[in-house]
Amino acid sequence: FIQYFLLTNLVESFGFYKSLRIGALLSIPVACLVPLSLWTNSDAMVGQLTWSTVIYLSVVYATIRVFSSVAFSTLTMTTNRTVPNHHRATMNGLSMMGGSIAKACGPAFGGLFFSWSVGTLPPPLGAWLVYGVVSMLGLGLFVQVSLLDEAAPPTEETKSQESGSFSNGKRGPR
């Protein structure tokens, strides 16, 4: 619910690429704030969370999820604008395949890294290392997104070429 209104307002106010940058900066890098919950929960019994910690983690997690949605939605919209209409299905299929590979490999590598860091390093340092590395990867994404050149809007010539390829009843070039 919040994502829709936030996304539409960001895109209308800043455009696709600036919205993508905002989403990339305020999503994954915010994960570095998660270990601060150890400090907010320092006076609780082992295995229990204080209300302040629950609220803090809820706000951090909600921020990550909302701005991740903004980043992925604007990324999909911008990639769809980079190819002609008749190639969008192929672009979306390749994009989904890449996302599926990342979703398959990510938990395996993340689990190995987390178990190594928690098992090897003293208790607070393992959590700081894991969330720090995840945040650095998120900042790397932000840097990559910041280096993107904003695509020029379609001209009348490219619009007529895209629509003209189907206007004579024959399918366009593949």
Side-chain angles (χ1 to χ4, degrees):
F1 179 72
I2 293 172
Q3 291 108 331
Y4 174 76
F5 292 110
L6 181 65
L7 176 65
T8 54
N9 288 331
L10 280 174
V11 169
E12 286 174 2
S13 299
F14 300 110
F16 287 113
Y17 286 87
K18 286 185 182 174
S19 299
L20 178 59
R21 290 180 188 116
I22 291 169
L25 182 63
L26 295 177
S27 60
I28 304 304
V30 176
C32 70
L33 300 176
V34 171
L36 291 177
S37 65
L38 296 171
W39 177 68
T40 62
N41 203 45
S42 61
D43 56 345
M45 293 175 42
V46 174
Q48 301 219 345
L49 294 175
T50 62
W51 279 108
S52 61
T53 303
V54 170
I55 292 169
Y56 173 75
L57 287 174
S58 298
V59 168
V60 169
Y61 186 67
T63 303
I64 292 169
R65 295 296 296 168
V66 166
F67 284 102
S68 291
S69 175
V70 168
F72 285 117
S73 298
T74 53
L75 184 63
T76 301
M77 289 186 277
T78 54
T79 54
N80 279 334
R81 291 172 168 253
T82 62
V83 295
N85 287 340
H86 60 280
H87 288 294
R88 283 190 183 163
T90 303
M91 171 64 97
N92 287 330
L94 291 171
S95 176
M96 289 294 133
M97 183 181 70
S100 296
I101 291 170
K103 285 181 182 180
C105 296
F109 292 121
L112 287 172
F113 178 58
F114 185 79
S115 64
W116 171 83
S117 67
V118 172
T120 305
L121 300 173
L125 294 179
W128 282 99
L129 178 67
V130 169
Y131 285 104
V133 168
V134 168
S135 296
M136 288 299 126
L137 290 172
L139 284 175
L141 170 69
F142 172 71
V143 168
Q144 288 290 326
V145 167
S146 296
L147 296 175
L148 290 175
D149 290 332
E150 194 154 339
T155 62
E156 290 300 320
E157 182 180 322
T158 57
K159 285 182 183 177
S160 66
Q161 287 176 353
E162 287 179 7
S163 62
S165 64
F166 296 105
S167 62
N168 60 3
K170 298 179 183 177
R171 298 195 87 181
R174 292 191 171 208

